[in-house]
Amino acid sequence: MPSPRNRSRHLPGPSAPALLVFYALLGLTPLLIAALRGGAGGEFWRALSSGLAMIGFAMLLAQFLLSGRFRRVSGRIGIDVTMRFHQLAAWVALAFLLVHPLLYAVPALADGPGAALPRLAGMFASPGLRPGVVAWAVLVLLVLMAAWRDRLPLRYEGWRLTHGVGAALVAALGLHHTLGVGSHAQDPVLAGFWMVLTAVALASLAYVYLVKPLLKRRAPWRVTGNDKVAERMWRVTVEPDDGHGFDFHAGQFAWLNLGHSPFNLVEHPFSISSAPEQRPQVEFTIKQRGDFTNRIGEVEVGTRAWLDGPHGAFTVAGRDATRLVLIGGGVGFAPVVGMLRSLRAQRWPHPVDVIYGNRLEGQILYREELQAIAGELDMRLHLVLSEPPPGWAGPTGVLDREVIRACLQARDGQVHPEALYFVCGPLPMMDVVEAALSDLGVADGNMVSERFAYH
Ligand SMILES: Cc1cc2nc3c(=O)[nH]c(=O)nc-3n(C[C@H](O)[C@H](O)[C@H](O)COP(=O)(O)OP(=O)(O)OC[C@H]3O[C@@H](n4cnc5c(N)ncnc54)[C@H](O)[C@@H]3O)c2cc1C
């Protein structure tokens, strides 16, 4: 799990350590119940196998809550960190559940390696174990498909649907197997625990795919503007029909569904590049990149829109900051623009350094507005180009340690590690910038990052 970089305590949800402890306790609860209530026991390999299966299955069921975009779960640590944890926990649960059937064959190894195979084959072919075997195989497939999602000939929405349906199948078949043949299956308390946990998991799935869209239907939005703002970049503005919309903090993001039913899975996450002070209007800055975004320029004013948000912890709100450094690259500048607009509306009195990297001059977003904001705040704006036009007077190069250091020292010759640093941009850029900031003495706790991808 990557270190949660300075997540705000004013956002809803538990802190990262609290979530970890809860997750570990949930995983160990069935073991605890089994130990307290006695029962099956049995020889070592059998006990180990069922213990690992119990932890793995409890972790697997908890995954539904982690991946459900629940603000009460991920509001404070951020969806990116929660999703990363979801991915890592999936590997651990998979490892536990993978070895679960294999351990039953270990005692047979005493009669030679060949003896274990018939035992395993017999187990996998047994009709009574079929639900468990199917759940086992589907789980392996789900985790592998998620790990290699980008290489599958499947659209994101198709993958998401397969992932949700497959996970529900694993949960249902896993419960059937546990209650039917689990070594502690007869214990009513443990059986109750599994039934409740599976019900919560499936209910959270139903909430995401059915209840949430139904709630969204009560809060329709529509597109009120769509214009090209830079090379392959579009500004899409939406407004709520009810005139209120939602409350958000500058820098957060929302899932945007344009022109479909709220039940449709075609929705994409975009940072909000307007300020909360501009509510009820919400603005996104979208870069053409793939199937959906390449056609963003064709979206007409008046198109029905649905928003799921706000999400994310990339925000100054609730943090103690008297000096800010905002670093953005390419379209990763979108949430930074929202933050700057909000700082301007609040007449923020403290120093702000903005480092904005692009390849070409034509890619710079909202240049005049940025210069105007710089004039109103105690703000230094560094527009950095890696392929500058002839005569470019600003800094040049990619956002590496030296460029960042030069920009940070331009104000008073110093790097201020005590400032709060926000970083958003292409993934390779972010890795370089975070490493550069660490090198320059900035602690992890003073960095807040937003990655535009969940891997
Ligand atoms: C928190 C967050 C904030 C973002 N903010 C912005 C922003 O302000 N401006 C901007 O231009 N882009 C933003 N993005 C990226 C944007 O969501 C993707 O570029 C867009 O979804 C790509 O869709 P596509 O069909 O055009 O491209 P594709 O080529 O189909 O997809 C490219 C990649 O984008 C990811 N992706 C595709 N669809 C989805 C989806 N529905 N949900 C999640 N990931 C998906 C997948 O990893 C895929 O491999 C953000 C992403 C995240 C996670």
Side-chain angles (χ1 to χ4, degrees):
M1 188 176 175
S3 81
R5 296 181 186 274
N6 198 1
R7 302 294 175 178
S8 168
R9 58 189 181 280
H10 290 258
L11 294 166
S15 65
L19 192 66
L20 264 180
V21 169
F22 175 76
Y23 198 81
L25 284 180
L26 195 68
L28 292 174
T29 301
L31 272 194
L32 198 68
I33 298 177
L36 289 177
R37 299 188 50 91
E43 43 97 355
F44 174 75
W45 292 107
R46 197 180 143 87
L48 180 65
S49 169
S50 77
L52 289 181
M54 283 196 265
I55 299 176
F57 191 42
M59 285 177 75
L60 189 137
L61 293 173
Q63 293 283 65
F64 286 77
L65 291 175
L66 278 183
S67 56
R69 298 185 200 165
F70 296 110
R71 279 204 289 275
R72 289 266 152 224
V73 175
S74 54
R76 192 157 147 200
I77 56 179
I79 286 198
D80 53 344
V81 176
T82 317
M83 293 310 275
R84 189 85 190 102
F85 182 65
H86 167 70
Q87 290 156 3
L88 293 178
W91 284 110
V92 177
L94 177 69
F96 286 1
L97 292 168
L98 261 187
V99 296
H100 161 61
L102 307 184
L103 290 176
Y104 279 96
V106 172
L109 286 174
D111 305 327
L117 282 179
R119 173 123 196 223
L120 270 181
M123 250 170 27
F124 276 84
S126 154
L129 297 181
R130 196 153 295 147
V133 172
V134 176
W136 192 79
V138 175
L139 177 67
V140 174
L141 201 66
L142 278 188
V143 176
L144 293 182
M145 281 176 70
W148 282 289
R149 172 169 60 75
D150 281 348
R151 288 181 227 162
L152 295 176
L154 197 61
R155 288 177 55 148
Y156 185 87
E157 295 75 27
W159 168 80
R160 196 177 149 204
L161 187 66
T162 330
H163 199 70
V165 172
L169 191 70
V170 172
L173 292 176
L175 180 69
H176 186 284
H177 175 80
T178 308
L179 297 184
V181 297
S183 52
H184 297 80
Q186 314 313 325
D187 188 287
V189 176
L190 201 53
F193 171 81
W194 289 123
M195 283 193 267
V196 169
L197 198 56
T198 309
V200 169
L202 295 179
S204 74
L205 203 64
Y207 179 80
V208 171
Y209 290 107
L210 300 172
V211 179
K212 229 177 181 184
L214 275 173
L215 294 175
K216 258 196 256 175
R217 253 183 20 172
R218 291 206 218 139
W221 296 64
R222 79 200 135 76
V223 175
T224 52
N226 186 7
D227 48 311
K228 192 171 180 181
V229 285
E231 197 67 24
R232 296 175 69 78
M233 303 265 208
W234 298 81
R235 170 180 26 205
V236 175
T237 311
V238 294
E239 280 182 37
D241 284 6
D242 69 4
H244 175 73
F246 59 45
D247 295 329
F248 65 96
H249 298 300
Q252 288 191 294
F253 73 93
W255 263 271
L256 177 65
N257 165 338
L258 286 177
H260 299 288
S261 132
F263 291 93
N264 197 300
L265 292 181
V266 182
E267 51 172 2
H268 293 256
F270 294 108
S271 298
I272 300 172
S273 52
S274 51
E277 290 79 4
Q278 292 168 257
R279 280 184 45 230
Q281 191 185 70
V282 166
E283 187 184 301
F284 300 97
T285 305
I286 299 179
K287 180 175 182 180
Q288 291 178 226
R289 177 175 171 200
D291 296 341
F292 171 76
T293 49
N294 274 337
R295 308 190 62 184
I296 196 73
E298 297 166 25
V299 173
E300 289 176 8
V301 168
T303 300
R304 179 54 73 214
W306 310 99
L307 265 62
D308 174 1
H311 293 285
F314 190 76
T315 172
V316 180
R319 303 177 202 271
D320 303 321
T322 47
R323 181 180 284 272
L324 288 175
V325 178
L326 311 178
I327 305 178
V331 75
F333 202 67
V336 175
V337 173
M339 290 159 93
L340 286 173
R341 288 173 171 162
S342 184
L343 294 177
R344 176 194 218 176
Q346 296 166 33
R347 299 179 200 284
W348 211 65
H350 308 293
V352 193
D353 286 296
V354 178
I355 306 176
Y356 179 19
N358 278 296
R359 197 162 58 82
L360 304 168
E361 190 175 15
Q363 293 171 330
I364 301 174
L365 289 166
Y366 313 118
R367 190 171 176 176
E368 284 175 16
E369 186 183 351
L370 291 178
Q371 276 156 348
I373 297 176
E376 289 175 34
L377 300 178
D378 178 7
M379 170 174 149
R380 294 277 171 128
L381 174 64
H382 306 275
L383 299 174
V384 185
L385 293 182
S386 59
E387 292 178 25
W392 175 255
T396 58
V398 293
L399 298 189
D400 60 12
R401 186 175 185 276
E402 286 324 305
V403 168
I404 289 176
R405 198 224 309 253
C407 293
L408 293 179
Q409 289 180 338
R411 184 186 281 269
D412 56 7
Q414 291 184 51
V415 172
H416 289 269
E418 79 288 0
L420 201 47
Y421 290 75
F422 287 80
V423 186
C424 184
L427 302 187
M429 179 215 101
M430 294 191 62
D431 292 341
V432 172
V433 170
E434 286 172 355
L437 291 177
S438 295
D439 263 15
L440 292 168
V442 178
D444 260 15
N446 283 40
M447 285 185 232
V448 188
S449 307
E450 180 84 281
R451 281 174 163 72
F452 279 2
Y454 296 133
H455 47 77

